[in-house]
Amino acid sequence: MQLKVSHNRLLDLSSPKVMAIVNVTSDSFYTSWGECSDEVLLSNVQLAIDQGADILDIGACSTRPGSTPVTAEEEWQRLSHALQLIRSCFPKAIVSVDTFRATVAEQALRLGADIINDVYGGERDDKMYEVVATHGVPYVLTYSQECPVPEEATDYDYTLSRMLDFFQRKLDVLHRMGVADVVLDPGFGFGKTVEQNYRILDQLDILSVLHAPILVGISRKSMLYKPLYATPEEVLPATVAANMLALERGAHILRVHDVEAAKQAITVYTLAHKIK
């Protein structure tokens, strides 16, 4: 399985890959470099690359629960500066842009972004699919429930069937528009209860019927720290454990804050499966 990230480059997904989170927001729930100097930003990006990041995912508008999105103008001001810096210093890096706004995606692609990562799956901006189709880039399609499904529904397959239906409908639309490379993200933490998040993680392999790469973004999220009565800073071990479960169930890309830990998990997973 491969992603065509540019006219002459392919990302081979036959082995799992790591997407490093590069936040240039001012209010993310964990790490954020929005108020840092250019030197600090580039130093952190260099570290992620040195530790084995396969993709850099730059976000300039926080989508954490309870946050108020910045304006498109402010998002682009933050994003464009970071994107130009990273592109000039790391020209060979595969760069994803985390945005739900089509105008921001359009401008980012013109500046050299390779992938669009839309946490709302096109539901917040009906021009997004058109932008992605026009530029012919991979698109991360996220299942983001606007409101949590009732608790009683978790005893059945409601959450899973709703997610599958969403992905199938959106894949049909995107493929008809000519978007060949679509990555599926179950959207852990977006409009789902803790129990629903774990139900999706447990049965992640159900997405294999859609024949598309799977991205998992669980890193330090509330589904980990709430049951443990901990903070995001304290749940790196839980993040590694959850990522390993995701790998066992077919994840192709891990979106993480901690690149080295994710690469180690992938190495152990790969070695174990070579022995079988």
Side-chain angles (χ1 to χ4, degrees), residues 157-187:
D157 289 330
Y158 184 76
T159 299
L160 295 171
S161 62
R162 184 172 173 175
M163 179 178 68
L164 279 173
D165 177 70
F166 172 86
F167 280 143
Q168 187 62 73
R169 287 188 291 105
K170 297 297 186 177
L171 280 169
D172 289 345
V173 173
L174 286 160
H175 289 162
R176 285 200 304 270
M177 295 180 72
V179 182
D181 292 317
V182 182
V183 179
L184 306 180
D185 180 352

Side-chain angles (χ1 to χ4, degrees), residues 3-267:
L3 288 184
K4 186 178 180 182
V5 293
S6 69
H7 292 300
N8 57 2
R9 280 198 301 170
L10 297 173
L11 180 63
D12 182 9
L13 297 178
S14 61
S15 60
K17 297 296 185 284
V18 172
M19 174 184 276
I21 298 169
V22 182
N23 282 328
V24 290
T25 61
S26 59
D27 59 346
S28 292
F29 81 94
Y30 184 56
T31 56
S32 180
W33 303 324
E35 306 299 327
C36 294
S37 67
D38 292 352
E39 291 75 15
V40 171
L41 171 63
L42 292 173
S43 175
N44 280 285
V45 171
Q46 181 68 69
L47 178 62
I49 291 172
D50 290 345
Q51 291 179 342
D54 302 289
I55 308 167
L56 304 172
D57 189 44
I58 310 173
C61 178
S62 178
T63 52
R64 64 177 175 80
S67 65
T68 301
V70 298
T71 64
E73 291 75 18
E74 186 173 349
E75 180 186 6
W76 178 241
Q77 183 178 15
R78 293 175 179 175
L79 180 63
S80 60
H81 180 69
L83 181 55
Q84 288 180 82
L85 271 177
I86 291 169
R87 262 285 160 252
S88 62
C89 294
F90 308 101
K92 295 182 179 179
I94 296 174
V95 177
S96 166
V97 166
D98 181 357
T99 185
F100 59 88
R101 293 178 168 123
T103 54
V104 173
E106 172 75 36
Q107 294 174 96
L109 291 168
R110 292 184 182 279
L111 267 187
D114 301 295
I115 300 169
I116 296 299
N117 179 15
D118 178 5
V119 298
Y120 292 116
E123 297 283 276
R124 291 287 183 93
D125 192 329
D126 60 9
K127 300 294 185 185
M128 181 62 85
Y129 293 178
E130 182 181 333
V131 168
V132 175
T134 298
H135 287 268
V137 295
Y139 176 67
V140 180
L141 172 66
T142 305
Y143 173 55
S144 178
Q145 294 177 166
E146 291 295 330
C147 299
V149 176
E151 289 279 0
E152 57 269 21
T154 62
D155 292 334
Y156 306 93
D157 289 330
Y158 184 76
T159 299
L160 295 171
S161 62
R162 184 172 173 175
M163 179 178 68
L164 279 173
D165 177 70
F166 172 86
F167 280 143
Q168 187 62 73
R169 287 188 291 105
K170 297 297 186 177
L171 280 169
D172 289 345
V173 173
L174 286 160
H175 289 162
R176 285 200 304 270
M177 295 180 72
V179 182
D181 292 317
V182 182
V183 179
L184 306 180
D185 180 352
F188 290 103
F190 286 93
K192 304 170 185 72
T193 65
V194 170
E195 291 78 8
Q196 289 160 5
N197 282 315
Y198 279 101
R199 187 168 182 82
I200 291 172
L201 177 58
D202 181 53
Q203 299 190 39
L204 187 69
D205 55 358
I206 197 172
L207 294 179
S208 64
V209 301
L210 299 174
H211 305 291
I214 300 167
L215 181 150
V216 166
I218 303 179
S219 182
R220 297 183 182 267
K221 287 188 174 180
S222 63
M223 65 177 281
L224 302 176
Y225 64 76
K226 283 183 177 179
L228 295 171
Y229 301 99
T231 65
E233 291 74 17
E234 297 170 318
V235 291
L236 176 56
T239 297
V240 174
N243 280 333
M244 186 64 81
L245 289 171
L247 292 171
E248 289 285 355
R249 289 156 176 77
H252 298 87
I253 301 172
L254 300 178
R255 183 179 183 271
V256 300
H257 299 92
D258 308 278
V259 173
E260 185 174 33
K263 291 297 280 193
Q264 288 184 2
I266 288 171
T267 299

